[in-house]
Each structure stands twice: as C-alpha cells, then as structure tokens.
Amino acid sequence: MGDVRGVRAGRLGPDFGWLWAAFAVSSAGTMLAFDAFALIAVTVLHSSSVQVSFLSAAGIAAGALFAVPLGPWVEFRRKRPVMVGADLVRCAALLTLPLAYALHALSYAQLVLVSVVVATADIVFRAASGAHLKALVPQEGLMVASARFESTTWTTTALGPPLGGAAIGLFGPLTTVLGDAVSYLLSAAGVRRIRRPEPPPPTAASTRITRADIAEGWRYLWRTPYLRALFLNSTLVNGLIMVGAPLMAVLMLRELGFPAWEYGLAYGVPCIGGLIGSRLSSRLVRRYGEQRVLRWSGTARVCWPVGLALTGTGTGGLLTVMAVELGLITCIGVYNPILAKERLQHTDSDRLARVLSAWTVTGRAVTATLTLAWGALASLIGTRPALAVAGVLLLATPALLPTTPRASLPERTPRTPATGP
C-alpha cells in the first residue's frame, strides 16, 4: 500500500509531468477548436447537413485507413520521435487553413484533406503515447495517470468550447484552428523535454511490414476475451455517441438558430462533469471494486443521449443540451480511466502500439461509417428523429460489457513472436 499511496500522492516523476503537460496543451488546443471543421463548413462554406456529416466521416475513415500499416511501424520504433513528428504534421496541416482563408482560397476539399491528415497523425500519436505511458509509469500508477489525463481532458473540454466560440465571434472563424496548430507545436516541445531513456522497441525480423504485423493488434484483441468485450462495447458506444456531433451542429446552428457562443457553451459547461467523474473514479474503484464500477458507469453513460432529440429553441433548448451532456460526460469521466488502465494492464508491452492502433483505427472506421449513415438518415427522416434512433440503439450496448470478474478470467493464449507467426 505504500507504493500506491505514494502514487496517489502524485509522485509520478518529472518526466511524466512533461508528458502530462504536452497532453494538456494539445488537449487545450483541440478543445478550443471543438467542432471547428463543422463550424467552418456551416458558417463559412454554407455546406449542407450531408456535407457536414461527410466531412466528419471522411477524415476519420481515410485517416483510419492510412493508419492501418502505421501501427506496426510505430511498434518497432522509439515512441518519442514518433510523437514529436505526429505533432509537427498536425501543426503544419492545420496552418494551411487560416492561410487559405486569408487568401480567399479556402474550400470544402481542403477541409476534407486536412481532416484526413490530422486524423492519421492523431492515430499515430495515440498509439505511440499509450505505449510510452506504460513504459514511463509504474504499473501501480497507471490508474492515477489515466485519471489525470481524463481530468485534464474534461477540464480543457469545459473551458475550450466557450472560449473558442468567443474567439470566433471576436476574431473570425479560423482563430481556433490557428490556436490548435500552435498547441501541437508546444506539445512537441514538451515531449522533447522528457529525459528518461526509452526502453528499446521490439526488434522486427525484417524491415518490411508484413500482413501478420498489421493484423496482430486485431488478433490479440480478439483472442483476449476481456479486452474483446471492452473493445466491442467501446467501439459501438463511441460511434453512436459521435454520430450526434454533426447533427447537433446542424440542429443548433442552422435549424434552431443558436449563435456559435451558445453552441460552445452548451458543450463546454457540462464538461465539468467529466472532471468530477474522473476525480471520483479512483475513489469509487477503491470502495466498490473495479469491475462493478466499470459496469455501472458503462451502463449509465448510454442512458443520456436520447434526450438530445428533445432539444428546442431558446433557453429551454440550451438547458436541455447541457443537462444531457452533463449526465453523459460525468459517467464517461468515471468509466474512461478504468478502461484506459485495464487496456494498458491487460496488453503485453511488445503488442501495445499495435493493439492501441487497431483499437483506434477500428473505432474511427466504425464512427465514420455510422456518421455517414446517420447523415443520410437525417436527410430522409429529419435531424431530431435521427438523433432519437441513435439514442435508443445506445440503450442496448451494455449487453456487450464484460461480465466476468477479472480475477476469474481465463489465461490468454501464449504470445507469438513480435513480428507475427
């Protein structure tokens, strides 16, 4: 218990501090630019609801496709240079947008292209940083570290959208994109300040990335029942939640006439629930046990989104969105640190980058597919009914959560060599 108390007290070391700082600044930039592409498409390019949904889906889907062979590529390389490179690529891609806007040359096609580049680099960064975190933090510190990242995410999410909406109102629609680009530059600088030597990556038998290397992440997930259940539930839940983002942008900004600052406020203020949930997560686990809290919070989080279909005009509509998002985000804040810790702890280190890459790629691909489908559905039956359908389907997803306590899980199959069978 002494080690756990020390970890809870916050002694994860200065190198973790730099990684945390890098995450915090890039998260702040991302949340400042919350739904920036959708906002630009709606308010600058006057795109249709189908185009807005396609924009969200195309970047995710193409980014996931391009990232498929990059999982094993990341696995066999040192993680910090990969993280820095991904940050710099995202920064450069985003900077092209305010430049094109200033030259009156901004187009829908450029928005799609930049979204693809950013999505690809984001998957690469996540795979590398997850593997690097497990090497940087002792096992007993993973829950605390995951909770800190989660609380940082929700703090920046609470502050970013309202500030971003205000910045757009004061300085123009591309302001937040510029801020996001700068945040990636600062993140790269933070990662470079980490001094602890990295453990050597797994050694590839060949300089070529084989099909076995690419498929190993999915094979590992599928043959590990506990991870498989978490993976399937997470993928479907996130996809059905995310289909509402472009639809709510169309509903609130176009159909109901909310200004951009109120749209940002509706999604920013409830994020205080994520901060509360992430702070409670470790305490609830200590009191009730990991598996029980995982299942409770995993079930509770899907009960809220159906309420978005009830969004109306004026103050009442704004409060409806805030209430729904507050409940959803509080439950997610409890659930996500446990999920992140379990995923890292149940994955062997020499498979971690590929597993995280496979997890993210699949999640992005499913989200893209569902987003396209719901954009088409909204054009047929309307925005509100489409939101209601997604909310009702979410209510069935707790059936996919793992029910077997961790202690009684069967042993995983023996590991295969790092380069695949």
Side-chain angles (χ1 to χ4, degrees), residues 54 124 171 263 288 382 404:
F54 178 80
V124 170
F171 305 111
Y263 176 74
Y288 297 107
T404 306

Side-chain angles (χ1 to χ4, degrees), residues 225-226 291 342 346 402-412:
Y226 184 68
Q291 294 302 311
E342 290 290 277
H346 282 263
T403 56
T404 306
R406 197 179 86 188
S408 63
L409 286 174
E411 290 293 324
R412 293 196 297 268

Side-chain angles (χ1 to χ4, degrees), residues 87-170:
D87 273 335
L88 295 179
V89 166
R90 288 184 286 187
C91 174
L94 288 171
L95 285 176
T96 66
L97 294 177
L99 178 61
Y101 180 74
L103 297 174
H104 304 286
L106 183 63
S107 67
Y108 179 80
Q110 184 182 2
L111 275 182
V112 173
L113 179 60
V114 171
S115 70
V116 170
V117 174
V118 171
T120 305
D122 183 62
I123 293 173
V124 170
F125 185 92
R126 285 172 181 266
S129 64
H132 187 54
L133 176 64
K134 187 173 182 179
L136 199 64
V137 174
Q139 182 170 311
E140 65 272 14
L142 287 177
M143 182 70 192
V144 174
S146 297
R148 288 189 183 179
F149 282 125
E150 188 71 12
S151 63
T152 301
T153 295
W154 293 116
T155 300
T156 57
T157 305
L159 298 174
L163 292 175
I168 288 172
L170 291 172

Side-chain angles (χ1 to χ4, degrees), residues 75 130-131 134-135 139 142 216-217 220-221 223-224 226-228 230-231 339-357 359 412 415:
E75 190 83 77
K134 187 173 182 179
Q139 182 170 311
L142 287 177
E216 177 59 20
Y220 190 97
L221 283 169
R223 68 178 180 242
T224 310
Y226 184 68
L227 284 178
R228 182 174 67 231
L230 292 174
F231 168 63
L339 171 66
K341 179 256 184 185
E342 290 290 277
R343 186 170 57 183
L344 291 177
Q345 188 166 309
H346 282 263
T347 305
D348 296 319
S349 296
D350 63 350
R351 296 294 190 279
L352 190 51
R354 280 173 286 181
V355 166
L356 293 178
S357 179
W359 192 302
R412 293 196 297 268
R415 289 183 295 170

Side-chain angles (χ1 to χ4, degrees), residues 4 10 33 37 46 66 124 177 195 204 217 222 225 253 265-266 294 340 366 373:
V4 175
F37 287 8
H46 310 292
F66 293 146
V124 170
V177 172
R195 291 291 177 258
W222 199 253
L253 295 171
L265 191 69
L294 183 77
V366 169

Side-chain angles (χ1 to χ4, degrees), residues 28 51 93 124 135 139 169 173 183 190 192 205 240 257-258 279 302 316 323 330 333 380 417 421:
Q51 286 178 310
V124 170
Q139 182 170 311
S183 77
R192 285 182 59 84
L240 287 172
F258 285 95
R279 299 286 298 215
V302 303
T330 301
L380 293 174

Side-chain angles (χ1 to χ4, degrees), residues 248 251 267 301-312 316-325 328 384 387-392 394-395:
M248 285 301 293
L251 179 66
Y267 282 92
R301 79 198 199 277
V302 303
C303 297
W304 298 92
V306 69
L308 292 174
L310 303 176
T311 304
L318 188 63
L319 292 177
T320 298
V321 177
M322 286 183 173
V324 169
E325 292 298 318
L328 170 66
R384 291 177 194 275
L387 287 167
V389 171
V392 170
L394 275 167
L395 298 177

